[in-house]
Amino acid sequence: MLQPLYQVFIRNIDTNDLFEIPFISLGFTEELNKGRDAKVSLDFKAAKAVADAYNTDILFLFTSGLREIWIQKNNVKLYIGVISDFSIAKDDKGFLRIDLASVGYLTLLSKRRTAEKREFSNTDAGQIAKTLIDESQLSDSPHSDLGITFGLISTSVTRDRTYRFDNIRDSVIRLSNENLNNGFDFDINNDKILNVYYPTKGTFKSNIIFDKGNIINYRFRKPLILSLTNQVYVIGEGFNDDVLFTKRTSPVEYREVFTLLEDVLSDSRDVKELTTLQDKGDRYLLENQSPRVGLEINHLDNNPDINSYELGDEFMVNIPELNITNERKRVYKRVFSIDTNSLTVVTITVR
């Protein structure tokens, strides 16, 4: 079997010039409805040789303006983002290393804000997300255009929202299944296309099975009493006796097993829609009313191929010592890494 070709490219967004850079090690992390980030380490001499070939220097190549970074496998993008941090380190043997940090385009939207007052009434949640991003990209055109376009925007649930200088990344996430029951899943993919999926993203991959044949190792964790909540108060807009709030309670069987366990969510103080508070509380209970089993599985790339499944997809898992037999598990997080020995490992978090 031919060894896969992994490559790192730097793109100068102003000129569209693309530079391939030899790397020492790399890794990226992506999480459903939360975005992605990456780290890449380079040999200074190898990077300088690339800069010299294009009659430029290291600092201009990596830091003089917005720079995209691509990670590819066999000419297919695995990751796209922008360089967010640059450093050079010299060790005690005189070896010079460049370390690059990168964030994806969703995280970059944390540096964008809504207008001083932007209102939506009875508007589909996916369209709200699309509009917030679209208006931001038009707000100071052409300087505000990040190149994000729009693909599938599934019809979901209508919402009322008022935004005042709100963080756009956080505003989109708060509309999603990360924060609300009846939210949506979404991503900004490697072509910089926003997609909104309702009710969820992903398909069942019947051709992928994780078992002793491809699991290198795993980590199983089951948080208990202090991580559980079966009754939650969600606080919205208002003050003192006029505050809007809702109390959401899990079915009695959860309270019988672990006793009453309460919590308060107070990060929605600008919300004046009761349905939103209810959906937020219901989502929180769904995630926390019973022990949320965490299972991390490590596998080598190509067994299966990282391009054969995505976040949100499901497949069968067999781990007899955990009494897991032909159980469908869904991918919520994925970490890809290539170390200095060229070992390529993918760590997935499934539930």
Side-chain angles (χ1 to χ4, degrees), residues 77-179:
K77 286 192 189 76
L78 299 178
Y79 174 90
I80 185 172
V82 298
I83 295 176
S84 58
D85 194 76
F86 170 90
S87 65
I88 301 174
K90 185 176 184 179
D91 66 18
D92 55 2
K93 296 180 181 179
F95 179 76
L96 281 169
R97 186 187 74 246
I98 296 174
D99 290 316
L100 304 176
S102 169
V103 296
Y105 275 87
L106 176 61
T107 301
L108 187 55
L109 287 171
S110 66
K111 297 298 291 184
R112 294 294 179 89
R113 298 284 166 166
T114 65
E116 64 272 15
K117 186 177 183 181
R118 183 60 169 96
E119 294 181 289
F120 296 90
S121 177
N122 198 34
T123 305
D124 181 81
Q127 291 298 325
I128 294 176
K130 174 181 180 293
T131 301
L132 291 177
I133 294 173
D134 195 31
E135 290 180 348
S136 172
Q137 293 195 116
L138 294 171
S139 63
D140 187 28
S141 183
H143 314 298
S144 53
D145 186 2
L146 296 175
I148 299 171
T149 57
F150 306 101
L152 173 70
I153 309 294
S154 300
T155 301
S156 57
V157 175
T158 57
R159 305 283 185 187
D160 296 333
R161 288 292 184 274
T162 300
Y163 297 102
R164 299 178 187 272
F165 306 111
D166 283 87
N167 178 309
I168 289 181
R169 170 191 176 272
D170 293 348
S171 297
V172 174
I173 290 176
R174 288 186 187 122
L175 291 166
S176 77
N177 286 321
E178 177 63 24
N179 184 59

Side-chain angles (χ1 to χ4, degrees), residues 32-286:
L32 188 64
N33 301 324
K34 289 186 177 180
R36 45 176 39 181
D37 57 63
K39 292 184 178 180
V40 178
S41 292
L42 314 172
D43 181 333
F44 180 91
K45 289 183 178 179
K48 187 176 185 303
V50 174
D52 290 345
Y54 288 93
N55 296 314
T56 186
D57 59 59
I58 289 288
L59 290 179
F60 182 86
L61 187 64
F62 294 107
T63 69
S64 184
L66 195 63
R67 298 290 188 264
E68 271 187 353
I69 184 166
W70 301 357
I71 298 173
Q72 293 190 172
K73 175 186 177 182
N74 296 335
N75 298 316
V76 176
K77 286 192 189 76
L78 299 178
Y79 174 90
I80 185 172
V82 298
I83 295 176
S84 58
D85 194 76
F86 170 90
S87 65
I88 301 174
K90 185 176 184 179
D91 66 18
D92 55 2
K93 296 180 181 179
F95 179 76
L96 281 169
R97 186 187 74 246
I98 296 174
D99 290 316
L100 304 176
S102 169
V103 296
Y105 275 87
L106 176 61
T107 301
L108 187 55
L109 287 171
S110 66
K111 297 298 291 184
R112 294 294 179 89
R113 298 284 166 166
T114 65
E116 64 272 15
K117 186 177 183 181
R118 183 60 169 96
E119 294 181 289
F120 296 90
S121 177
N122 198 34
T123 305
D124 181 81
Q127 291 298 325
I128 294 176
K130 174 181 180 293
T131 301
L132 291 177
I133 294 173
D134 195 31
E135 290 180 348
S136 172
Q137 293 195 116
L138 294 171
S139 63
D140 187 28
S141 183
H143 314 298
S144 53
D145 186 2
L146 296 175
I148 299 171
T149 57
F150 306 101
L152 173 70
I153 309 294
S154 300
T155 301
S156 57
V157 175
T158 57
R159 305 283 185 187
D160 296 333
R161 288 292 184 274
T162 300
Y163 297 102
R164 299 178 187 272
F165 306 111
D166 283 87
N167 178 309
I168 289 181
R169 170 191 176 272
D170 293 348
S171 297
V172 174
I173 290 176
R174 288 186 187 122
L175 291 166
S176 77
N177 286 321
E178 177 63 24
N179 184 59
L180 297 177
N181 207 31
N182 291 320
F184 53 70
D185 288 339
F186 74 99
D187 60 30
I188 298 176
N189 67 19
N190 288 321
D191 293 317
K192 296 197 290 188
I193 299 173
L194 172 74
N195 292 291
V196 172
Y197 312 88
Y198 182 80
T200 57
K201 175 190 176 183
T203 59
F204 175 60
K205 300 291 186 178
S206 59
N207 60 320
I208 297 178
I209 299 174
F210 281 95
D211 56 22
K212 64 181 181 181
N214 56 3
I215 296 176
I216 302 173
N217 50 56
Y218 66 81
R219 180 175 182 267
F220 174 88
R221 182 171 178 262
K222 188 175 183 179
L224 296 173
I225 196 74
L226 293 182
S227 299
L228 304 180
T229 300
N230 48 44
Q231 184 164 280
V232 63
Y233 299 87
V234 189
I235 302 175
E237 189 177 67
F239 298 95
N240 300 325
D241 293 341
D242 294 325
V243 69
L244 178 68
F245 77 95
T246 185
K247 179 175 76 172
R248 309 301 281 176
T249 305
S250 299
V252 66
E253 55 264 29
Y254 294 100
R255 308 195 305 280
E256 285 178 340
V257 173
F258 289 105
T259 79
L260 177 66
L261 300 168
E262 296 179 298
D263 212 338
V264 174
L265 302 180
S266 57
D267 60 347
S268 300
R269 297 305 305 271
D270 58 343
V271 173
K272 54 186 177 182
E273 182 191 41
L274 182 60
T275 302
T276 295
L277 299 181
Q278 292 170 339
D279 284 344
K280 183 177 179 67
D282 290 346
R283 169 58 61 178
Y284 190 79
L285 291 179
L286 186 65

